[in-house]
Amino acid sequence: MFTRILAAVAAFALCAPAALAAPPPASAKPDLRPDKAPVPPPAWVVKSNGYAQVLMKVLAEFNPEFASQFGLPGYDDKVVDLRPNVGERSRAALSRARDALQQDLAEIGDANVREDLEIMIHAADRFIASSKLQDQYMLPYTDVGQTIFQGEFGLLQDQVSAERRPHALARLKCYVGMAPGCTPVTREAEALFAAKAGDGKLLGPYKAEVEQNLANTRRYVDGVRKLYAKYKIEGAGPALDALQKQLDDYDAWVKSTVLPRARTDARLPEAIYADNLKNVGIDIPPQELIKQAEKSFMEIQAEMETLAPYVARAEGFKATDYRDVIKQLKQQQLDRDNTEPYYEGVIGKIEAIIREHHIVTLPQRKMIMRLASEAESAAQPAPHMDPPPLINNHGERGQFVPPLGNPPSGNGKNEVYDDFTCKACAWTLTAHEGRPGHELQFSAMVEHGVSLARSLFAFNSVNVEGWALYAEWMMVQYEPPGGQMIALQLRLLRAARAFLDPMLNLGLITRQRAHDILVNDVGISEAFAREELDRFMFRSPGQATAYFYGYSRILELRAHTEIALGDRFNLQQFNDFILSQGLLPPDQLAEAVAKQFIPAQQAR
């Protein structure tokens, strides 16, 4: 469905598709002052961004919440299009935008603008192809509760200006059909499903996904009510009550109509899964990806076995098998009261290391980090970074958000992670989601004035997650022994993802065997293993492979650059250059390094 495809544009971090978060605590007021006065973007970026509006307007027409989240004005009170034939209508609009961009491409001489136009044309083609496949194979089912929660939080958070927050009520009234021209989105979602339900060839959603969505509805309604209470939005009572009633009715309809069509086999049609891999940036066959990842898995295990006795001596453990060392490290747990202070301390140490060793240029301002709420964990049960607006940014910044649990799907047991709140775990998670990982990556795009083509339309998980895992890798040598072990454990997880995800979706391994590898060999908790398996099988099949592949491509690029430059290689300048390029795919990034960075360094 088109809305799911749009959601994938904004997906990154340890999770897939990125869920919008619950508000930070009142004490976490962001400092919106920039480090320095904004530098006007180059003329070619201004020109490129003008062309980008053609495609942005189409995306905003069908998913205004997406446009609003990324800073496009005029869409705060509008809601997702779930009206009849949304697939056909969206593809027609995208085709017109793509054709207009192709005409512009024929008239442009500037190489940078041409490259950006090619990126946008490719993005439009990708959206169109994915939409066609969804219509060809899948019934159009929507988790309306999550859609509304995300849309409301997009306007109700500390970093959104007070002038914009009241628009959340206008948007809520449209969601529930209390605004002129608006039909309840629950009714639209039901009609969209019903229009295709008679086609027996179309596949329904995965049963476990639907059951998880039903279990989350209460969390979403409670989360929205808490947002309105926090920001004191007056007059919302009738709309909130209508939301509760409509979502209750929608859940009853889902149980009676959608669940009977739900499939018990999580595997997607091969064409859909192949398209998923393409959309996240995998440009090799899944069989080749599996081979590469399996080999890396064995190599990382060997590194961990070598490191384990050293960690055991440093920590006073008796065990020396890496699996047992990880178990003992994870017994050093932080509770809710001291998790944030401990992470803040680790953030300070990492930033000091980055500056001392000239790894990458850091901003002077403080990074934002907070814990997730239950509603947010329901929408996104994994650590993530909430991105800042990429358009009309007024100093808003990304936020590193770790969850404390994986909300249950109906068994009443709230499983607690021990993977993100152990002391040794804080180092790698901070390096990935914070600095020098995602937070720095997205801040650089805002502050360097990267074009929309390179920050938004070039986006895929390989480009984003590759940098974050590379950031982890750079920091390992400076971390304490326990932190090094957890860093290798999480790198082992990324290799496991790159073969388990495709193997599960191609029917080459059972869920139970995949579970055993994650829990027994990688050493993650049962809660985290469930989140991972759900992610591979229905939350976002294919996305989890991107970490390993993107990281591998950046390491290849850095190795090539160091060999080419020898003692002229400057790590900080290399990393700054990579960040300045936005989210260019690996091949285009390698071309930029070869044509711009290497010659400039050789000329010094």
Side-chain angles (χ1 to χ4, degrees):
M1 159 172 257
F2 187 63
T3 53
R4 286 192 175 188
I5 298 163
L6 288 182
V9 175
F12 64 91
L14 279 172
C15 49
L20 299 176
S27 59
K29 298 293 183 182
D31 177 8
L32 301 183
R33 294 170 299 176
D35 291 345
K36 54 188 177 181
V39 178
W44 74 265
V45 170
V46 175
K47 190 170 187 177
S48 171
N49 287 349
Y51 290 121
Q53 299 308 309
V54 175
L55 196 52
M56 280 298 304
K57 287 179 180 178
V58 175
L59 301 184
E61 176 185 350
F62 292 93
N63 197 328
E65 295 96 330
F66 162 86
S68 177
Q69 176 194 354
F70 280 91
L72 199 65
Y75 294 94
D76 286 352
D77 59 349
K78 296 177 174 57
V79 306
V80 63
D81 184 346
L82 296 179
R83 296 189 297 276
N85 302 315
V86 62
E88 294 90 332
R89 290 187 289 107
S90 63
R91 291 194 295 272
L94 283 166
S95 296
R96 290 191 294 270
R98 178 199 57 198
D99 294 346
L101 291 171
Q102 286 176 329
Q103 290 181 357
D104 294 330
L105 179 63
E107 302 171 0
I108 294 298
D110 186 289
N112 287 314
V113 179
R114 287 186 61 84
E115 184 171 28
D116 279 9
L117 284 168
E118 289 169 352
I119 288 171
M120 290 184 277
I121 290 167
H122 175 72
D125 285 336
R126 182 161 47 85
F127 292 146
I128 291 168
S130 296
S131 175
K132 285 181 178 178
L133 285 170
Q134 289 293 323
D135 276 1
Q136 180 181 350
Y137 288 99
M138 310 301 294
L139 284 171
Y141 161 71
T142 304
D143 181 4
V144 175
Q146 185 183 64
T147 298
I148 293 175
F149 171 72
Q150 292 177 330
E152 290 298 292
F153 175 72
L155 294 169
L156 295 176
Q157 53 178 301
D158 285 358
Q159 291 201 92
V160 172
S161 67
E163 293 77 17
R164 290 181 62 197
R165 291 178 198 149
H167 291 298
L169 180 54
R171 176 176 284 174
L172 179 61
K173 287 181 177 180
C174 192
Y175 279 134
V176 299
M178 295 175 65
C182 294
T183 302
V185 290
T186 53
R187 195 180 306 164
E188 291 182 342
E190 291 173 11
L192 202 60
F193 185 92
K196 298 289 185 72
D199 188 342
K201 295 180 181 180
L202 296 179
L203 293 176
Y206 181 46
K207 183 179 179 183
E209 176 185 13
V210 179
E211 291 172 342
Q212 180 68 67
N213 294 345
L214 290 168
N216 286 342
T217 299
R218 176 190 57 79
R219 301 181 182 101
Y220 294 140
V221 173
D222 290 347
V224 172
R225 287 188 181 275
K226 288 176 181 177
L227 290 171
Y228 275 83
K230 174 181 172 65
Y231 293 105
K232 299 179 174 59
I233 306 298
E234 300 294 334
L240 290 169
D241 292 342
L243 173 65
Q244 177 104 46
K245 175 67 165 57
Q246 289 176 17
L247 287 181
D248 286 345
D249 292 344
Y250 186 70
D251 280 0
W253 173 83
V254 168
K255 291 174 184 177
S256 65
T257 306
V258 177
L259 271 178
R261 289 295 304 273
R263 66 188 195 277
T264 55
D265 184 349
R267 288 180 296 172
L268 291 167
E270 288 189 18
I272 294 280
Y273 185 69
D275 187 63
N276 286 358
L277 291 178
K278 187 184 301 182
N279 282 333
V280 302
I282 304 296
D283 57 8
I284 60 175
Q287 293 80 6
E288 177 60 28
L289 180 66
I290 290 170
K291 289 180 181 179
Q292 291 184 16
E294 287 176 333
K295 176 176 177 288
S296 181
F297 189 84
M298 297 296 291
E299 292 173 341
I300 298 167
Q301 277 188 308
E303 288 185 65
M304 295 171 75
E305 288 288 12
T306 302
L307 181 63
Y310 171 65
V311 177
R313 286 194 301 271
E315 296 286 345
F317 300 158
K318 292 183 179 179
T320 56
D321 180 83
Y322 82 83
R323 299 165 182 83
D324 295 327
V325 169
I326 289 172
K327 289 178 182 177
Q328 293 195 261
L329 285 170
K330 288 166 69 174
Q331 290 177 8
Q332 302 172 357
Q333 286 288 308
L334 302 161
D335 59 30
R336 180 174 283 275
D337 292 333
N338 59 24
T339 295
E340 283 195 64
Y342 188 85
Y343 266 88
E344 292 287 354
V346 170
I347 291 167
K349 292 175 183 177
I350 286 178
E351 290 181 336
I353 291 168
I354 291 170
R355 291 189 173 99
E356 178 183 356
H357 295 279
H358 305 287
I359 294 172
V360 67
T361 301
L362 288 178
Q364 295 301 314
R365 50 173 171 65
K366 187 177 180 181
M367 188 182 80
I368 301 175
M369 175 265 176
R370 61 181 177 77
L371 299 182
S373 70
E374 184 178 5
E376 181 178 3
S377 294
Q380 189 46 270
H384 56 278
M385 196 278 290
D386 285 338
L390 298 178
I391 306 169
N392 297 319
N393 187 288
H394 300 290
E396 300 94 333
R397 295 184 276 123
Q399 302 175 65
F400 167 27
V401 187
L404 294 182
N406 187 8
S409 59
N411 60 14
K413 181 181 179 183
N414 192 10
E415 298 169 323
V416 177
Y417 291 113
D418 62 9
D419 309 88
F420 314 131
T421 52
C422 70
K423 292 182 178 179
C425 303
W427 287 84
T428 296
L429 290 174
T430 299
H432 184 104
E433 303 293 351
R435 296 176 181 174
H438 288 317
E439 190 272 348
L440 183 60
Q441 182 182 37
F442 275 74
S443 294
M445 285 192 286
V446 171
E447 293 163 8
H448 293 171
V450 174
S451 68
L452 289 174
R454 299 179 190 218
S455 60
L456 188 59
F457 295 115
F459 178 96
N460 64 42
S461 293
V462 163
N463 308 340
V464 175
E465 301 300 351
W467 169 265
L469 188 49
Y470 168 69
E472 291 182 29
W473 175 80
M474 286 193 293
M475 298 307 300
V476 170
Q477 62 181 304
Y478 306 110
E479 295 173 0
Q484 292 179 348
M485 177 58 78
I486 298 299
L488 285 176
Q489 181 207 18
L490 291 180
R491 200 183 308 163
L492 187 72
L493 171 63
R494 275 47 168 271
R497 285 172 170 172
F499 65 79
L500 290 179
D501 188 306
M503 290 178 75
L504 281 166
N505 282 283
L506 296 175
L508 303 176
I509 196 171
T510 65
R511 181 175 173 122
Q512 183 60 50
R513 178 61 186 133
H515 163 275
D516 293 345
I517 291 171
L518 291 171
V519 173
N520 300 331
D521 294 325
V522 179
I524 64 176
S525 68
E526 288 287 346
F528 195 11
R530 179 165 72 84
E531 183 276 333
E532 288 292 287
L533 293 168
D534 289 351
R535 177 182 189 169
F536 303 160
M537 301 182 78
F538 65 83
R539 280 188 179 272
S540 189
Q543 189 272 342
T545 64
Y547 301 72
F548 170 79
Y549 188 65
Y551 159 74
S552 300
R553 294 296 302 269
I554 289 186
L555 280 191
E556 291 172 4
L557 179 58
R558 175 165 161 182
H560 172 77
T561 307
E562 287 198 44
I563 291 168
L565 292 176
D567 59 6
R568 294 186 181 184
F569 178 80
N570 182 295
L571 177 60
Q572 182 168 332
Q573 291 176 5
F574 174 79
N575 288 333
D576 287 352
F577 180 83
I578 296 296
L579 291 177
S580 74
Q581 299 303 300
L583 301 177
L584 285 181
D587 288 344
Q588 289 170 287
L589 182 60
E591 183 179 2
V593 169
K595 292 185 176 180
Q596 299 176 43
F597 181 76
I598 291 177
Q601 297 297 306
Q602 289 172 332
R604 286 179 177 273

PDB file of all heavy atoms in Angstrom, residues 19-32:
ATOM      1  N   ALA A  19       8.920   4.526  13.918  1.00  0.00           N
ATOM      2  CA  ALA A  19       7.705   5.022  14.545  1.00  0.00           C
ATOM      3  C   ALA A  19       7.992   6.344  15.210  1.00  0.00           C
ATOM      4  O   ALA A  19       9.078   6.580  15.708  1.00  0.00           O
ATOM      5  CB  ALA A  19       7.218   4.025  15.575  1.00  0.00           C
ATOM      6  N   LEU A  20       7.014   7.198  15.222  1.00  0.00           N
ATOM      7  CA  LEU A  20       7.166   8.454  15.934  1.00  0.00           C
ATOM      8  C   LEU A  20       7.012   8.204  17.419  1.00  0.00           C
ATOM      9  O   LEU A  20       6.310   7.302  17.848  1.00  0.00           O
ATOM     10  CB  LEU A  20       6.114   9.450  15.444  1.00  0.00           C
ATOM     11  CG  LEU A  20       6.245   9.766  13.952  1.00  0.00           C
ATOM     12  CD1 LEU A  20       5.115  10.674  13.532  1.00  0.00           C
ATOM     13  CD2 LEU A  20       7.575  10.388  13.657  1.00  0.00           C
ATOM     14  N   ALA A  21       7.653   9.021  18.211  1.00  0.00           N
ATOM     15  CA  ALA A  21       7.829   8.687  19.612  1.00  0.00           C
ATOM     16  C   ALA A  21       6.871   9.400  20.527  1.00  0.00           C
ATOM     17  O   ALA A  21       6.219  10.355  20.160  1.00  0.00           O
ATOM     18  CB  ALA A  21       9.254   9.054  20.023  1.00  0.00           C
ATOM     19  N   ALA A  22       6.809   8.931  21.771  1.00  0.00           N
ATOM     20  CA  ALA A  22       6.109   9.647  22.820  1.00  0.00           C
ATOM     21  C   ALA A  22       6.959  10.826  23.255  1.00  0.00           C
ATOM     22  O   ALA A  22       8.156  10.847  23.027  1.00  0.00           O
ATOM     23  CB  ALA A  22       5.855   8.712  23.991  1.00  0.00           C
ATOM     24  N   PRO A  23       6.363  11.833  23.897  1.00  0.00           N
ATOM     25  CA  PRO A  23       7.100  13.057  24.175  1.00  0.00           C
ATOM     26  C   PRO A  23       8.190  12.853  25.211  1.00  0.00           C
ATOM     27  O   PRO A  23       8.057  12.022  26.099  1.00  0.00           O
ATOM     28  CB  PRO A  23       6.011  13.994  24.728  1.00  0.00           C
ATOM     29  CG  PRO A  23       4.974  13.079  25.258  1.00  0.00           C
ATOM     30  CD  PRO A  23       4.982  11.889  24.373  1.00  0.00           C
ATOM     31  N   PRO A  24       9.292  13.606  25.108  1.00  0.00           N
ATOM     32  CA  PRO A  24      10.304  13.544  26.137  1.00  0.00           C
ATOM     33  C   PRO A  24       9.787  14.169  27.412  1.00  0.00           C
ATOM     34  O   PRO A  24       8.835  14.952  27.397  1.00  0.00           O
ATOM     35  CB  PRO A  24      11.456  14.378  25.541  1.00  0.00           C
ATOM     36  CG  PRO A  24      10.799  15.298  24.572  1.00  0.00           C
ATOM     37  CD  PRO A  24       9.613  14.561  24.051  1.00  0.00           C
ATOM     38  N   PRO A  25      10.393  13.851  28.553  1.00  0.00           N
ATOM     39  CA  PRO A  25       9.958  14.453  29.801  1.00  0.00           C
ATOM     40  C   PRO A  25      10.153  15.958  29.790  1.00  0.00           C
ATOM     41  O   PRO A  25      10.967  16.491  29.039  1.00  0.00           O
ATOM     42  CB  PRO A  25      10.863  13.781  30.842  1.00  0.00           C
ATOM     43  CG  PRO A  25      12.033  13.257  30.079  1.00  0.00           C
ATOM     44  CD  PRO A  25      11.522  12.919  28.728  1.00  0.00           C
ATOM     45  N   ALA A  26       9.392  16.626  30.645  1.00  0.00           N
ATOM     46  CA  ALA A  26       9.416  18.089  30.637  1.00  0.00           C
ATOM     47  C   ALA A  26      10.805  18.642  30.918  1.00  0.00           C
ATOM     48  O   ALA A  26      11.152  19.731  30.490  1.00  0.00           O
ATOM     49  CB  ALA A  26       8.424  18.620  31.670  1.00  0.00           C
ATOM     50  N   SER A  27      11.632  17.869  31.625  1.00  0.00           N
ATOM     51  CA  SER A  27      12.970  18.348  31.960  1.00  0.00           C
ATOM     52  C   SER A  27      13.911  18.336  30.772  1.00  0.00           C
ATOM     53  O   SER A  27      14.980  18.920  30.808  1.00  0.00           O
ATOM     54  CB  SER A  27      13.566  17.475  33.077  1.00  0.00           C
ATOM     55  OG  SER A  27      13.631  16.133  32.644  1.00  0.00           O
ATOM     56  N   ALA A  28      13.511  17.633  29.691  1.00  0.00           N
ATOM     57  CA  ALA A  28      14.408  17.467  28.554  1.00  0.00           C
ATOM     58  C   ALA A  28      14.149  18.527  27.494  1.00  0.00           C
ATOM     59  O   ALA A  28      13.977  18.225  26.332  1.00  0.00           O
ATOM     60  CB  ALA A  28      14.258  16.079  27.957  1.00  0.00           C
ATOM     61  N   LYS A  29      14.068  19.774  27.903  1.00  0.00           N
ATOM     62  CA  LYS A  29      13.829  20.852  26.943  1.00  0.00           C
ATOM     63  C   LYS A  29      15.032  21.011  26.019  1.00  0.00           C
ATOM     64  O   LYS A  29      16.164  21.134  26.473  1.00  0.00           O
ATOM     65  CB  LYS A  29      13.581  22.172  27.674  1.00  0.00           C
ATOM     66  CG  LYS A  29      12.352  22.144  28.571  1.00  0.00           C
ATOM     67  CD  LYS A  29      11.082  22.012  27.782  1.00  0.00           C
ATOM     68  CE  LYS A  29       9.863  22.067  28.676  1.00  0.00           C
ATOM     69  NZ  LYS A  29       8.616  21.888  27.950  1.00  0.00           N
ATOM     70  N   PRO A  30      14.826  20.966  24.704  1.00  0.00           N
ATOM     71  CA  PRO A  30      15.956  21.053  23.792  1.00  0.00           C
ATOM     72  C   PRO A  30      16.479  22.475  23.667  1.00  0.00           C
ATOM     73  O   PRO A  30      15.726  23.439  23.761  1.00  0.00           O
ATOM     74  CB  PRO A  30      15.365  20.589  22.469  1.00  0.00           C
ATOM     75  CG  PRO A  30      13.922  20.961  22.560  1.00  0.00           C
ATOM     76  CD  PRO A  30      13.554  20.800  24.007  1.00  0.00           C
ATOM     77  N   ASP A  31      17.777  22.571  23.477  1.00  0.00           N
ATOM     78  CA  ASP A  31      18.394  23.850  23.161  1.00  0.00           C
ATOM     79  C   ASP A  31      18.393  23.971  21.645  1.00  0.00           C
ATOM     80  O   ASP A  31      19.133  23.268  20.960  1.00  0.00           O
ATOM     81  CB  ASP A  31      19.826  23.887  23.705  1.00  0.00           C
ATOM     82  CG  ASP A  31      20.548  25.172  23.339  1.00  0.00           C
ATOM     83  OD1 ASP A  31      19.891  26.082  22.808  1.00  0.00           O
ATOM     84  OD2 ASP A  31      21.761  25.261  23.603  1.00  0.00           O
ATOM     85  N   LEU A  32      17.528  24.813  21.115  1.00  0.00           N
ATOM     86  CA  LEU A  32      17.375  24.901  19.675  1.00  0.00           C
ATOM     87  C   LEU A  32      18.357  25.861  19.030  1.00  0.00           C
ATOM     88  O   LEU A  32      18.339  26.051  17.829  1.00  0.00           O
ATOM     89  CB  LEU A  32      15.939  25.330  19.327  1.00  0.00           C
ATOM     90  CG  LEU A  32      14.845  24.397  19.837  1.00  0.00           C
ATOM     91  CD1 LEU A  32      13.493  24.891  19.354  1.00  0.00           C
ATOM     92  CD2 LEU A  32      15.077  22.975  19.396  1.00  0.00           C
TER      93      LEU A  32
END
